Amino acid sequence: MAEPMARTLSDLHCLTHAAALCLLFVGTTFLALNPDWIDRPLAKAVNTVASNQPFASRLAFGAVYPTTEGAIAVSLLWYCWFAHDGPESRARLVSGVCAAVLAALVAHFLQRNLPTTPKPIFDSALGIHIPDVLGDAAVLRSAPFAGTPGFPSERAVLFAGLAIAILLVHFELGLLALACTLVVELARVYLGLHYPTNALGSLALAATLAWLAQTRPSLELGALVLRWEHGAPPSFYLCSFLASYVVVAFQDLRELAKGLLQ
């Protein structure tokens, strides 16, 4: 069903979209490096609203429950995989998933090297009220990685990338996956866990690599994975379902590394 749509994605079409989204990411990066222009004023305004709306804060807190976003994205991804067994669609899906993982790694690298501000609730220059639903403020601010930069978000990049990979194969399912990701990221902005440019920049980074992954050279990687699936289905699905579990439980690369070291 998705094969005709997949064939319309020419390399020029994909590269044009990737270039436009890359420019958007550069623009949001520039804004993130200058938080007093947009990020801090918006964060203060949102925090003022959130402080007076405890019920809305509880709803937002429920939306950002760690495994919900991952479970939805992975479930839709597997539905798309089994619903569209054509080689072109599956190759595009595999390439998109690989691009999402790569985008998360790029986000981790940029977090460590860009001099951006911490998350709003940890930004001492902002001094906003931490919503009660997040727990004790002193405990949160003493947590590991509390003062580290938050742009771009590894988690947001990963799940936005997976949603876009689905979107390029199955439009309706992709819209649902993307809507779920946007709801979660907006909830994180509402709770002071993200700046607005964090959410927008993460989406732009994920979309840039997702479109690059749809070019013909990148699809060769997807074809290699399909040959693995055809030649050794048991090992392919074993590794795939284990990877799915890791994605569902994903927080960020720092938390993953911390868990492995414990």
Side-chain angles (χ1 to χ4, degrees):
M1 181 170 63
E3 290 297 299
M5 183 183 75
R7 285 195 291 268
T8 64
L9 298 176
S10 67
D11 284 1
L12 180 60
H13 181 83
C14 295
L15 290 172
T16 301
H17 280 73
L21 290 161
C22 184
L23 288 176
L24 176 61
F25 175 68
V26 171
T28 53
T29 302
F30 187 70
L31 291 175
L33 292 171
N34 297 275
D36 290 325
W37 292 0
I38 292 179
D39 274 340
R40 282 178 176 149
L42 281 178
K44 287 182 178 179
V46 171
N47 183 251
T48 300
V49 175
S51 299
N52 298 318
Q53 300 292 333
F55 179 70
S57 294
R58 287 195 292 270
L59 287 178
F61 184 71
V64 301
Y65 185 75
T67 59
T68 302
E69 186 179 15
I72 292 173
V74 169
S75 298
L76 293 175
L77 189 66
W78 278 113
Y79 179 89
C80 192
W81 175 266
F82 288 113
H84 302 277
D85 58 357
E88 179 80 4
S89 293
R90 283 193 168 182
R92 291 193 182 278
L93 198 60
V94 169
S95 296
V97 170
C98 292
V101 174
L102 177 60
L105 293 172
V106 172
H108 178 70
F109 173 80
L110 293 175
Q111 271 191 11
R112 294 176 62 89
N113 291 279
L114 287 176
T116 54
T117 57
K119 296 177 181 180
I121 60 173
F122 302 129
D123 188 350
S124 58
L126 194 58
I128 64 173
H129 168 73
I130 295 181
D132 294 336
V133 293
L134 295 180
D136 184 78
V139 173
L140 285 172
R141 287 175 173 144
S142 64
F145 314 119
T148 57
F151 179 91
S153 166
E154 300 158 359
R155 184 180 178 84
V157 167
L158 175 64
F159 290 118
L162 294 178
I164 295 168
I166 297 170
L167 182 71
L168 294 173
V169 174
H170 192 299
F171 187 73
E172 292 80 7
L173 283 181
L175 282 181
L176 177 59
L178 193 58
C180 291
T181 300
L182 290 175
V183 166
V184 171
E185 294 313 307
L186 289 174
R188 292 178 73 85
V189 171
Y190 184 82
L191 293 173
L193 298 172
H194 276 338
Y195 279 112
T197 57
N198 194 323
L200 181 58
S202 298
L203 178 62
L205 175 59
T208 298
L209 292 185
W211 278 105
L212 286 175
Q214 301 307 306
T215 58
R216 189 57 48 184
S218 299
L219 292 179
E220 294 301 322
L221 174 61
L224 286 174
V225 175
L226 287 182
R227 284 197 285 272
W228 175 23
E229 189 264 345
H230 291 153
S235 63
F236 170 80
Y237 285 105
L238 173 63
C239 294
S240 297
F241 286 128
L242 287 175
S244 297
Y245 173 78
V246 173
V247 169
V248 170
F250 183 78
Q251 291 295 309
D252 60 34
L253 294 178
R254 293 167 302 189
E255 290 295 329
L256 178 60
K258 180 184 175 183
L260 292 174
L261 290 173
Q262 286 181 340

